Amino acid sequence: MTKINSVAVVGGTHGNEFSGIYLLRKWQNNLNLISRGSFSVQTVFANPKAHEENKRYVDSDLNRQFDIAELANLDLANYEQSRAKVINNQLGPKGNAKTDFIIDLHNTTSNMGPSLILLQSDEFNCKMGAYVKSRMPEAVVVFEDHASVEEHYFLSSITLQGVIVEIGPQPQSVIRQDVLDWMEDMTRHILDYVDLHNTNALPELPSSYEAFEYKETLKLPENENGERIGMVHKNVQDGDFKQLNSGDPIFTLFDGSEICWEGDYEAYPHFINEAAYYDNNLAMSLAKKRIVEI
Protein backbone atom coordinates (compact mmCIF):
# COMPACT_ATOMS: atom_id res chain seq x y z
CA MET A 1 0.00 0.00 0.00
CA THR A 2 1.47 3.33 -1.09
CA LYS A 3 1.64 6.44 1.06
CA ILE A 4 -1.59 8.32 1.82
CA ASN A 5 -0.93 11.95 0.92
CA SER A 6 -4.40 13.48 1.31
CA VAL A 7 -7.35 12.65 3.57
CA ALA A 8 -10.92 13.97 3.58
CA VAL A 9 -13.10 13.71 6.68
CA VAL A 10 -16.75 13.92 5.62
CA GLY A 11 -19.75 14.61 7.85
CA GLY A 12 -23.42 15.25 7.20
CA THR A 13 -23.79 12.85 4.28
CA HIS A 14 -27.19 12.37 5.88
CA GLY A 15 -28.50 15.69 7.15
CA ASN A 16 -30.11 14.41 10.35
CA GLU A 17 -27.08 12.43 11.58
CA PHE A 18 -25.67 15.11 13.81
CA SER A 19 -22.47 13.74 15.35
CA GLY A 20 -20.31 14.12 12.26
CA ILE A 21 -21.67 17.60 11.58
CA TYR A 22 -20.88 18.91 15.05
CA LEU A 23 -17.43 17.30 14.99
CA LEU A 24 -16.71 18.97 11.64
CA ARG A 25 -17.54 22.33 13.19
CA LYS A 26 -15.23 21.59 16.11
CA TRP A 27 -12.35 20.51 13.84
CA GLN A 28 -12.83 23.42 11.44
CA ASN A 29 -12.21 25.73 14.38
CA ASN A 30 -9.05 23.79 15.29
CA LEU A 31 -7.75 21.77 12.35
CA ASN A 32 -4.75 20.68 14.45
CA LEU A 33 -7.05 18.14 16.14
CA ILE A 34 -7.19 16.07 12.95
CA SER A 35 -3.95 17.15 11.25
CA ARG A 36 -1.03 14.74 11.06
CA GLY A 37 2.48 15.34 9.80
CA SER A 38 2.53 12.90 6.89
CA PHE A 39 -0.61 13.94 4.98
CA SER A 40 -2.92 16.88 4.30
CA VAL A 41 -6.48 16.83 5.60
CA GLN A 42 -9.70 18.59 4.66
CA THR A 43 -13.24 18.51 6.01
CA VAL A 44 -16.35 18.23 3.83
CA PHE A 45 -19.94 18.98 4.88
CA ALA A 46 -21.67 16.72 2.37
CA ASN A 47 -25.37 17.57 2.55
CA PRO A 48 -25.98 21.04 4.02
CA LYS A 49 -29.47 21.50 2.57
CA ALA A 50 -30.75 18.29 4.12
CA HIS A 51 -29.30 19.41 7.45
CA GLU A 52 -31.00 22.81 7.14
CA GLU A 53 -34.30 21.00 6.53
CA ASN A 54 -33.57 18.46 9.30
CA LYS A 55 -33.93 15.53 6.91
CA ARG A 56 -31.84 12.51 5.97
CA TYR A 57 -31.93 13.75 2.39
CA VAL A 58 -33.90 16.18 0.22
CA ASP A 59 -34.57 14.09 -2.91
CA SER A 60 -32.54 10.86 -2.69
CA ASP A 61 -30.01 9.21 -0.40
CA LEU A 62 -26.68 10.97 -1.03
CA ASN A 63 -24.70 7.91 0.08
CA ARG A 64 -26.19 5.91 -2.80
CA GLN A 65 -25.25 8.33 -5.62
CA PHE A 66 -21.60 7.49 -6.32
CA ASP A 67 -21.92 4.91 -9.08
CA ILE A 68 -19.44 5.88 -11.81
CA ALA A 69 -22.02 5.74 -14.61
CA GLU A 70 -24.53 7.79 -12.64
CA LEU A 71 -21.90 10.39 -11.75
CA ALA A 72 -21.32 10.87 -15.48
CA ASN A 73 -25.03 11.11 -16.28
CA LEU A 74 -25.91 14.82 -16.41
CA ASP A 75 -29.61 14.00 -16.63
CA LEU A 76 -29.46 12.89 -13.00
CA ALA A 77 -29.69 16.33 -11.44
CA ASN A 78 -31.84 16.33 -8.31
CA TYR A 79 -30.27 17.89 -5.21
CA GLU A 80 -28.32 14.85 -3.96
CA GLN A 81 -27.38 13.72 -7.46
CA SER A 82 -25.98 17.20 -8.09
CA ARG A 83 -24.20 17.26 -4.73
CA ALA A 84 -22.62 13.89 -5.56
CA LYS A 85 -21.19 15.34 -8.76
CA VAL A 86 -19.83 18.36 -6.86
CA ILE A 87 -18.23 16.19 -4.17
CA ASN A 88 -16.85 13.80 -6.79
CA ASN A 89 -15.26 16.77 -8.55
CA GLN A 90 -13.86 18.07 -5.25
CA LEU A 91 -12.43 14.79 -3.94
CA GLY A 92 -12.29 12.59 -7.03
CA PRO A 93 -13.03 11.95 -9.74
CA LYS A 94 -13.86 8.37 -8.83
CA GLY A 95 -11.39 6.06 -10.54
CA ASN A 96 -8.65 8.70 -10.63
CA ALA A 97 -9.14 10.61 -7.38
CA LYS A 98 -6.94 13.47 -6.27
CA THR A 99 -7.77 12.49 -2.67
CA ASP A 100 -6.28 9.25 -1.31
CA PHE A 101 -8.51 8.39 1.64
CA ILE A 102 -12.02 9.29 2.88
CA ILE A 103 -13.44 8.88 6.39
CA ASP A 104 -17.22 9.23 6.16
CA LEU A 105 -18.95 9.82 9.52
CA HIS A 106 -22.41 8.35 10.13
CA ASN A 107 -24.88 7.72 12.93
CA THR A 108 -27.31 4.84 13.16
CA THR A 109 -30.42 4.46 15.31
CA SER A 110 -29.40 0.81 15.79
CA ASN A 111 -27.50 -0.43 18.83
CA MET A 112 -24.26 -1.01 16.89
CA GLY A 113 -21.88 0.82 19.20
CA PRO A 114 -18.69 2.19 17.61
CA SER A 115 -18.54 0.34 14.29
CA LEU A 116 -15.89 0.65 11.59
CA ILE A 117 -17.10 -0.41 8.15
CA LEU A 118 -14.31 -1.41 5.77
CA LEU A 119 -14.93 -1.64 2.03
CA GLN A 120 -11.90 -3.83 1.25
CA SER A 121 -10.06 -6.78 2.78
CA ASP A 122 -6.58 -5.78 1.67
CA GLU A 123 -3.63 -5.60 4.05
CA PHE A 124 -4.07 -1.87 4.66
CA ASN A 125 -7.68 -2.26 5.81
CA CYS A 126 -7.13 -5.46 7.79
CA LYS A 127 -4.29 -3.81 9.69
CA MET A 128 -6.42 -0.70 10.21
CA GLY A 129 -9.08 -2.84 11.89
CA ALA A 130 -6.43 -4.44 14.10
CA TYR A 131 -4.98 -1.07 15.06
CA VAL A 132 -8.36 0.52 15.87
CA LYS A 133 -9.42 -2.47 17.98
CA SER A 134 -6.08 -2.48 19.81
CA ARG A 135 -6.65 1.16 20.79
CA MET A 136 -10.43 0.92 21.20
CA PRO A 137 -11.42 -2.58 22.35
CA GLU A 138 -15.14 -1.78 22.21
CA ALA A 139 -14.92 -1.10 18.45
CA VAL A 140 -16.66 -3.47 16.03
CA VAL A 141 -15.16 -4.08 12.58
CA VAL A 142 -17.49 -4.92 9.67
CA PHE A 143 -16.27 -5.82 6.17
CA GLU A 144 -18.53 -4.91 3.26
CA ASP A 145 -15.98 -5.60 0.56
CA HIS A 146 -16.69 -6.39 -3.09
CA ALA A 147 -14.37 -7.34 -5.92
CA SER A 148 -13.49 -3.67 -6.46
CA VAL A 149 -14.25 -0.31 -4.88
CA GLU A 150 -15.86 0.76 -8.15
CA GLU A 151 -18.73 -1.64 -7.37
CA HIS A 152 -19.62 0.46 -4.32
CA TYR A 153 -21.87 3.48 -4.66
CA PHE A 154 -20.99 5.00 -1.26
CA LEU A 155 -19.40 8.43 -0.93
CA SER A 156 -16.30 6.85 0.61
CA SER A 157 -15.77 4.82 -2.57
CA ILE A 158 -14.73 7.93 -4.52
CA THR A 159 -11.17 7.28 -3.41
CA LEU A 160 -9.13 4.10 -3.73
CA GLN A 161 -9.27 3.76 0.06
CA GLY A 162 -12.23 4.82 2.19
CA VAL A 163 -14.03 3.80 5.36
CA ILE A 164 -17.35 4.47 7.07
CA VAL A 165 -17.48 5.26 10.77
CA GLU A 166 -20.96 4.16 11.91
CA ILE A 167 -21.87 4.95 15.54
CA GLY A 168 -25.08 4.26 17.42
CA PRO A 169 -27.56 4.12 18.92
CA GLN A 170 -28.52 7.73 18.34
CA PRO A 171 -31.95 8.98 17.28
CA GLN A 172 -32.07 11.11 14.18
CA SER A 173 -31.58 14.84 14.83
CA VAL A 174 -30.22 14.16 18.32
CA ILE A 175 -26.74 14.38 19.91
CA ARG A 176 -25.55 11.86 22.53
CA GLN A 177 -22.24 12.48 24.26
CA ASP A 178 -21.21 8.81 24.38
CA VAL A 179 -21.86 8.45 20.65
CA LEU A 180 -20.07 11.70 19.84
CA ASP A 181 -17.07 10.64 21.95
CA TRP A 182 -16.91 7.25 20.23
CA MET A 183 -16.95 8.90 16.81
CA GLU A 184 -14.22 11.36 17.74
CA ASP A 185 -12.04 8.63 19.27
CA MET A 186 -12.43 6.27 16.32
CA THR A 187 -11.65 9.02 13.82
CA ARG A 188 -8.53 9.96 15.78
CA HIS A 189 -7.35 6.34 15.81
CA ILE A 190 -7.89 6.01 12.05
CA LEU A 191 -5.91 9.18 11.40
CA ASP A 192 -3.15 7.96 13.70
CA TYR A 193 -3.06 4.65 11.84
CA VAL A 194 -2.69 6.38 8.47
CA ASP A 195 0.14 8.52 9.83
CA LEU A 196 1.92 5.49 11.31
CA HIS A 197 1.44 3.59 8.07
CA ASN A 198 2.96 6.47 6.11
CA THR A 199 6.01 6.68 8.36
CA ASN A 200 6.56 2.92 8.66
CA ALA A 201 6.07 3.23 12.40
CA LEU A 202 3.17 0.88 13.06
CA PRO A 203 3.45 -0.86 16.42
CA GLU A 204 3.16 -4.61 16.76
CA LEU A 205 -0.46 -5.55 16.05
CA PRO A 206 -2.53 -8.48 17.31
CA SER A 207 -1.97 -11.59 15.19
CA SER A 208 -5.72 -11.89 14.64
CA TYR A 209 -8.99 -10.28 15.65
CA GLU A 210 -12.71 -10.93 15.45
CA ALA A 211 -14.70 -9.08 12.82
CA PHE A 212 -17.95 -9.47 10.86
CA GLU A 213 -18.56 -9.91 7.14
CA TYR A 214 -21.81 -8.64 5.61
CA LYS A 215 -23.90 -11.34 3.93
CA GLU A 216 -27.43 -10.09 3.23
CA THR A 217 -30.25 -7.72 4.16
CA LEU A 218 -33.67 -8.85 5.40
CA LYS A 219 -36.94 -7.05 4.78
CA LEU A 220 -39.77 -6.68 7.25
CA PRO A 221 -42.71 -9.04 6.66
CA GLU A 222 -45.01 -7.70 3.97
CA ASN A 223 -48.33 -8.66 2.39
CA GLU A 224 -48.93 -8.91 -1.34
CA ASN A 225 -49.44 -5.13 -1.49
CA GLY A 226 -46.04 -4.41 0.04
CA GLU A 227 -47.59 -3.29 3.33
CA ARG A 228 -45.83 -4.08 6.62
CA ILE A 229 -47.51 -6.89 8.54
CA GLY A 230 -44.93 -7.40 11.28
CA MET A 231 -41.98 -6.01 13.24
CA VAL A 232 -38.57 -7.06 14.51
CA HIS A 233 -38.94 -9.61 17.32
CA LYS A 234 -38.30 -8.23 20.81
CA ASN A 235 -35.58 -10.83 21.39
CA VAL A 236 -33.63 -9.45 18.42
CA GLN A 237 -34.26 -5.75 18.98
CA ASP A 238 -31.11 -3.94 20.20
CA GLY A 239 -29.12 -7.17 19.86
CA ASP A 240 -26.75 -5.96 17.16
CA PHE A 241 -23.85 -8.39 16.59
CA LYS A 242 -25.41 -11.02 18.85
CA GLN A 243 -25.62 -14.54 17.43
CA LEU A 244 -28.83 -15.60 15.67
CA ASN A 245 -29.33 -19.34 15.14
CA SER A 246 -31.65 -21.16 12.78
CA GLY A 247 -35.01 -21.54 14.52
CA ASP A 248 -34.71 -18.36 16.58
CA PRO A 249 -37.71 -16.03 16.29
CA ILE A 250 -36.80 -12.96 14.24
CA PHE A 251 -40.14 -11.26 13.44
CA THR A 252 -43.45 -10.90 15.26
CA LEU A 253 -46.48 -10.40 13.04
CA PHE A 254 -49.18 -7.99 14.12
CA ASP A 255 -51.56 -10.94 14.54
CA GLY A 256 -49.23 -12.29 17.24
CA SER A 257 -47.60 -15.10 15.28
CA GLU A 258 -43.82 -15.35 14.84
CA ILE A 259 -41.41 -15.92 11.97
CA CYS A 260 -38.16 -17.73 12.74
CA TRP A 261 -34.74 -17.43 11.14
CA GLU A 262 -34.21 -20.39 8.83
CA GLY A 263 -30.75 -19.59 7.51
CA ASP A 264 -28.01 -22.16 7.06
CA TYR A 265 -25.36 -20.18 8.96
CA GLU A 266 -24.86 -18.46 12.31
CA ALA A 267 -25.96 -14.90 11.60
CA TYR A 268 -25.05 -11.69 13.40
CA PRO A 269 -27.72 -9.03 12.86
CA HIS A 270 -26.80 -5.34 12.69
CA PHE A 271 -28.53 -2.17 11.55
CA ILE A 272 -31.46 -3.71 13.42
CA ASN A 273 -34.62 -1.62 12.96
CA GLU A 274 -32.63 1.30 11.52
CA ALA A 275 -35.15 4.14 11.29
CA ALA A 276 -33.72 5.45 8.01
CA TYR A 277 -34.43 2.14 6.25
CA TYR A 278 -38.16 2.04 6.98
CA ASP A 279 -39.02 3.69 3.67
CA ASN A 280 -37.70 0.48 2.04
CA ASN A 281 -39.16 -1.86 4.70
CA LEU A 282 -35.68 -3.11 5.58
CA ALA A 283 -35.40 -4.87 8.93
CA MET A 284 -31.68 -5.58 9.42
CA SER A 285 -28.43 -6.69 7.84
CA LEU A 286 -26.89 -10.07 8.58
CA ALA A 287 -23.20 -10.90 8.84
CA LYS A 288 -21.02 -13.90 9.48
CA LYS A 289 -18.30 -13.82 12.11
CA ARG A 290 -14.82 -13.65 10.65
CA ILE A 291 -11.37 -14.06 12.17
CA VAL A 292 -8.96 -11.69 10.46
CA GLU A 293 -5.34 -12.89 10.40
CA ILE A 294 -2.58 -10.27 10.38
Side-chain angles (χ1 to χ4, degrees):
M1 177 64 201
T2 57
K3 181 181 177 183
I4 301 290
N5 293 307
S6 55
V7 174
V9 181
V10 180
T13 301
H14 297 131
N16 58 7
E17 296 178 5
F18 279 8
S19 293
I21 296 167
Y22 280 84
L23 284 174
L24 284 191
R25 291 173 177 170
K26 173 180 178 177
W27 295 329
Q28 286 165 352
N29 288 327
N30 185 0
L31 202 59
N32 289 331
L33 294 172
I34 55 172
S35 296
R36 301 294 185 272
S38 67
F39 56 83
S40 64
V41 65
Q42 64 175 306
T43 60
V44 179
F45 189 170
N47 201 336
K49 187 174 181 182
H51 181 60
E52 290 171 6
E53 298 184 12
N54 197 19
K55 297 177 179 177
R56 179 176 175 85
Y57 53 79
V58 177
D59 295 313
S60 55
D61 189 333
L62 179 58
N63 206 33
R64 304 295 188 273
Q65 306 306 318
F66 293 88
D67 174 83
I68 288 182
E70 293 183 0
L71 288 168
N73 186 347
L74 299 182
D75 291 331
L76 300 177
N78 71 25
Y79 178 73
E80 276 78 18
Q81 290 164 347
S82 299
R83 280 297 296 160
K85 292 173 174 62
V86 170
I87 295 167
N88 185 55
N89 184 62
Q90 178 181 353
L91 302 180
K94 187 170 180 175
N96 187 28
K98 61 181 73 71
T99 309
D100 296 321
F101 185 62
I102 291 174
I103 306 171
D104 194 15
L105 306 177
H106 287 262
N107 290 124
T108 173
T109 63
S110 303
N111 189 30
M112 287 174 58
S115 298
L116 174 61
I117 299 179
L118 303 176
L119 306 188
Q120 300 182 63
S121 289
D122 60 4
E123 182 180 359
F124 177 78
N125 282 274
C126 289
K127 285 186 175 180
M128 186 194 313
Y131 180 84
V132 170
K133 284 187 70 69
S134 71
R135 297 300 187 268
M136 193 175 182
E138 67 272 32
V140 179
V141 176
V142 181
F143 286 86
E144 288 195 14
D145 51 322
H146 296 308
S148 68
V149 175
E150 286 76 12
E151 294 181 15
H152 281 283
Y153 42 69
F154 302 134
L155 187 154
S156 55
S157 71
I158 293 174
T159 51
L160 183 61
Q161 294 287 350
V163 298
I164 300 172
V165 173
E166 189 79 57
I167 314 291
Q170 180 166 285
Q172 296 168 341
S173 307
V174 167
I175 287 283
R176 281 180 51 152
Q177 183 180 356
D178 54 349
V179 169
L180 190 76
D181 289 348
W182 272 337
M183 182 175 284
E184 185 167 20
D185 289 347
M186 182 172 284
T187 303
R188 174 169 50 84
H189 294 315
I190 295 169
L191 292 168
D192 289 343
Y193 169 78
V194 173
D195 192 43
L196 292 166
H197 161 81
N198 281 347
T199 57
N200 295 313
L202 279 173
E204 184 176 355
L205 298 173
S207 60
S208 65
Y209 63 95
E210 180 182 282
F212 298 90
E213 184 173 350
Y214 168 81
K215 299 301 294 182
E216 59 182 309
T217 298
L218 301 185
K219 297 195 73 173
L220 291 162
E222 300 173 325
N223 61 20
E224 60 276 8
N225 298 320
E227 299 167 334
R228 255 176 255 133
I229 59 172
M231 54 191 164
V232 172
H233 195 280
K234 63 184 179 181
N235 291 351
V236 176
Q237 181 64 49
D238 299 326
D240 293 75
F241 302 112
K242 293 182 179 178
Q243 185 174 314
L244 182 69
N245 297 308
S246 183
D248 290 344
I250 192 169
F251 297 118
T252 301
L253 302 186
F254 297 135
D255 64 9
S257 58
E258 296 179 342
I259 295 176
C260 295
W261 165 240
E262 297 180 352
D264 59 358
Y265 62 93
E266 293 177 352
Y268 292 84
H270 56 290
F271 284 116
I272 297 172
N273 233 357
E274 165 60 55
Y277 297 162
Y278 257 58
D279 54 355
N280 294 319
N281 276 352
L282 301 182
M284 67 192 75
S285 296
L286 297 182
K288 283 186 175 181
K289 187 176 287 188
R290 169 178 176 179
I291 302 301
V292 181
E293 304 287 345
I294 302 299

